[in-house]
Amino acid sequence: MAKQILSTPSAPAAIGTYSQGVKVGDTVYLSGQIGLDAQTMILVEGIEAQIHQVFLNLGEVAKAAGCSLNHTAKLNVYLTDLTHFAKVNEIMAHYFDQPYPARAAVGVKELPRGALVEMDAILVTE
């Protein structure tokens, strides 16, 4: 099966040796997103703003694949402070319809550019 590389100017440009996303068959792999504003490439301030921005960024790459966040089968959440997990749950409900995807939440020491949260996802288009 051929890989389709996903790229959209509506999400932050890759800041390393990776693609924003890759589609293989009916499966879409979204690279990790932090709370960078796509236009300025500046990290938004505060955990709540970063969580919203991450979901917006993931959603834009999902759109580039011809789908939406509701196609998410698995979401991985990385937090520098797990006390923010309740806020992720609260905000996530605004971006996903039930039934919600499978999910993991992992506490990490640090993230790129001093971000407080990063997420990646696997979507299924059918």
Side-chain angles (χ1 to χ4, degrees), residues 11 14 17 40 56 65 75-76 110 114:
T17 54
T40 65
L56 292 171
L75 180 69
N76 295 311
E110 60 186 320

Side-chain angles (χ1 to χ4, degrees), residues 33-66:
Q33 289 285 339
I34 58 175
L36 290 176
D37 177 280
Q39 304 309 312
T40 65
M41 292 297 287
I42 295 173
L43 191 66
V44 298
E45 289 194 34
I47 186 62
E48 194 165 331
Q50 286 188 29
I51 294 167
H52 279 288
Q53 190 65 54
V54 167
F55 283 127
L56 292 171
N57 293 344
L58 290 171
E60 289 299 324
V61 183
K63 279 185 202 173

